[in-house]
Amino acid sequence: MSIEYTVRCDDPAAHEFLVEMEAPLAGEEALVLRLPTWIPGSYLIREFARHLLEFEAEAVLADGSPRPLAATKIDKCSWRIVPPRGACALRCRYRVWAFDASVREAWLDTGRGFFNGTSLFLRLEGRSGEEHRVRLLPPSDPRCAGWKVATALEPAEGTAFWSFGDYRAPDYDALIDAPVLMGPLEFVEFRAGGVPHTVALIGHAEPFDWVRLAADLTAICTSAQELFGEVPFARYLFLLTLTDEGYGGLEHGESAALLAARRDLPWPGMGAPSDEYVRLLGLFSHEYFHAWVVKRLKPAAFTPYDLFAENYTRLLWLFEGWTSYYDDLLLVRAGVIDADRYLGLLAKTATQVLTTPGRLRQSLAEASFDAWIKFYRPDENSANATVSYYAKGALLALALDLQLRERGASLDALLRALWERYGRSGEGMGEEAPFAVLHEMAGSRLARWLERMVQGTEDPPLAALLRRFGVQWREIAAALPDTGLRFERDSMRVAAVRRASPAEGAGIAPRDELVAIDRLKATPAQWESVLRRRGAGARVPVHAFREGRLYEAVLELAPPALERVELALAPRPTAQQRKRLNSWLRLAAP
C-alpha cells in the first residue's frame, strides 16, 4: 500500500495546482493531515498552508462509492477528519496558489511550473514512513504543449525520465526532498566521478555555451567528490530556472533548485569567465556541496526534522559558513578560475563582514540560533545588530584552514573526519562535535581558539595568516568623509544609519528623507559634491522630513571609513609561502 497524490496543472493562467491525495485506511478512528510550515535549508517559518484553498475530503467505501467528510481545521496547518466505519480509503482535494518565483515554494504559469513538496503535499500523521507516490499530469492548455518534467523522484514502472507520469518515494521525507520543475526544459548532461549529472534548465533567451558549462561543472563536482572521498548518490540533478534578475538556491539530497539571471550563462566564444558566470558557478558549487554538508552531515537538531516548528541549532556557522568557504575554493581547485580571481572573491567576503558593525555585537553561535527570527527578516537595523553566519562563517573557515595547514593538517581533513563520524551514518552532529574532533586533530589550543571565535565577536586574524601564505591584505578607505548614512537606490531616502556614526549622533533615522544639504536641494550628486568639498571635521546642516514633519540637523563629518579589502599575491613570495599557497589552492607548482 502507498499514499498517492495526483498533481494537475490544467489552468496555469490561474497559478493554481490541483492536488488530490488518496490514502488506504485500516479502521482508523480519526486522521490528522498537516502541511509543513517551513522547508529544510531555509530557516524561516513560511506558513505554506496560507496558500492552500478549497480543501475537501471524502471517504471511499467498500463498494467504491464516495461519502463527503467534514474536515475540521485544528490549527494553522492541520486538519482532523473522522472517517466512517468500514471506509477503505481517504481522498482529499485542494488547490495550491503557486506564484512564488523563489526556489522555496511553488510557481505555475503558462511558461513553467515548479514546486517543492512542502508546498503541495499534506502529511498523514502516523503514516509518513510508508511509500508515497505522485502522479504528475500534463497541462491541457495548448500553450503548454511539449512540456517535460525534471525531478529526482524515482520514476515508477512505465514512466520515463523527463516525462509526466508516476513517481515514487520511500517515505514522506524523501517525497518532499525532491522538487519538481516542468516546462519546455533543456538538458545539459555530464558525468563526474562516474556518476551521471544533469542540469535541467528553463528560461534562457540567447544561445549559451553548454559544452563549457558541462566541462566546468564536471571539474567542480569532481573536486567536491575528491574532498569527501565518496559519492553518496547514484545520480544528481540541478534544476535551473533563468529569469531577468533571479538569484538563489536550495539544496536537496539528490538535487538542487537554482535561480539565476539569464546573463549569468556562458556565451559562445567567451574568454575569461565573466563575473556573472563565476557567480553562477559558485551557486552550483554551494548547493552541490550541501549534498554532503547539511543533507547528510547535519546538526543533531535536524535528525529528524520537525517540519512544524523551528529547529534550533548553533552550528549554521559551520554548515552554511564552511560551505560558503568551499563554494569558491572549489572553483579555483577545479581550475575554472585562477588564484587572482579567487582572492578577489575572498576580498569581497571580507569587505562584507568588516563593513558590518553587527559583527561586533552578535556571535556566530547567536546568529545561527536566531536565523529563524533575524537572518531571513532583515530590517533597517540588521547591519548594526547581526552578522551573516554565511560570510563570517566562511572567513572563520579560512582562518581555521590556514592554521591547520601550518600544523600539517587542513580543514579538508577535519571535514572528512566529521563526515566519516557523523555524515556517512546519518547520525546527527552535536554542537560540541567540531571542537572535540578538532581537539583530537590539532590539540586543545586551536580547539579553544575556534570555540572563542564562535562564541565571541572578535575578527579572525586573516591579514597575518594570509601573509604567511604569500597573500597581501590591504584595507582601502573610502574617498569621501564618513556619515554613516546609506540611502535607498537613486534617492535621498535613508535606508539605514550605522550605529555610533555621525548620522546617528545628528539624530537622523531610517526612512527620513533628506530635502536639503548645506541649504541646497538634496540630490545624490549634490550630496557627493558637498562631502567632497567640505571634508572630514566639517559641520554640514541638513533638512529632512520624518513622518511628514520637517526638521533640521547638523552632521559632523568623520574621516573616511573602510570601503573595501583588497587581496593580492605577494610579488616575491618565499619558497615556504609558495608551497603553502599551492597546497591550499591546489595550484600547480611553478
Side-chain angles (χ1 to χ4, degrees), residues 67 242 369 446 520:
R67 176 183 295 182
L242 297 153
F369 195 84
L446 193 55
L520 298 172

Side-chain angles (χ1 to χ4, degrees), residues 532-547:
R532 193 177 302 279
R533 288 184 289 107
R534 299 297 295 273
R539 294 170 59 83
V540 178
V542 299
H543 290 77
F545 279 110
R546 180 182 301 163
E547 297 183 336

Side-chain angles (χ1 to χ4, degrees), residues 297 322 414-423 429 433-434 437:
L297 174 63
W322 288 17
L414 176 58
L415 193 54
R416 280 194 295 270
L418 293 171
W419 167 259
E420 290 168 3
R421 192 169 302 186
Y422 302 103
M429 192 173 82
V437 176

Side-chain angles (χ1 to χ4, degrees), residues 66 143 156 164 215 217 326 416 571 583:
R143 291 169 292 184
F164 286 90
L217 291 179
Y326 276 104
R416 280 194 295 270
S583 175

Side-chain angles (χ1 to χ4, degrees), residues 47-113:
E47 313 294 15
F48 299 126
R50 74 193 192 281
H51 293 317
L52 194 148
L53 310 166
E54 300 178 6
F55 184 87
E56 298 176 349
E58 63 185 23
V60 179
L61 303 181
D63 61 1
S65 62
R67 176 183 295 182
L69 296 176
T72 303
K73 199 166 187 180
I74 55 178
D75 62 32
K76 62 184 179 181
C77 63
S78 307
W79 289 260
R80 185 174 185 271
I81 299 172
V82 179
R85 188 183 304 273
C88 298
L90 169 70
R91 185 180 295 147
C92 302
R93 296 184 188 90
Y94 51 93
R95 294 181 179 270
V96 175
W97 168 251
F99 206 64
D100 184 299
S102 76
V103 296
R104 297 178 292 265
E105 299 194 31
W107 173 274
L108 181 63
D109 67 3
T110 55
R112 72 178 188 274

Side-chain angles (χ1 to χ4, degrees), residues 282-347:
L283 180 62
F284 274 99
S285 178
H286 185 99
E287 303 307 336
Y288 189 69
F289 199 84
H290 273 321
W292 288 266
V293 179
V294 168
K295 295 311 299 182
R296 291 168 174 86
L297 174 63
K298 63 179 66 176
F302 294 174
T303 52
Y305 291 111
D306 180 348
L307 296 170
F308 307 98
E310 295 88 344
N311 292 205
Y312 293 104
T313 175
R314 292 178 175 83
L315 289 175
L316 294 183
W317 58 269
L318 188 157
F319 288 96
E320 293 294 352
W322 288 17
T323 300
S324 296
Y325 170 60
Y326 276 104
D327 57 21
D328 289 335
L329 183 60
L330 291 181
L331 303 189
V332 69
R333 288 184 175 178
V336 300
I337 62 173
D338 60 20
D340 289 330
R341 197 70 170 272
Y342 173 64
L343 293 181
L345 297 173
L346 266 185

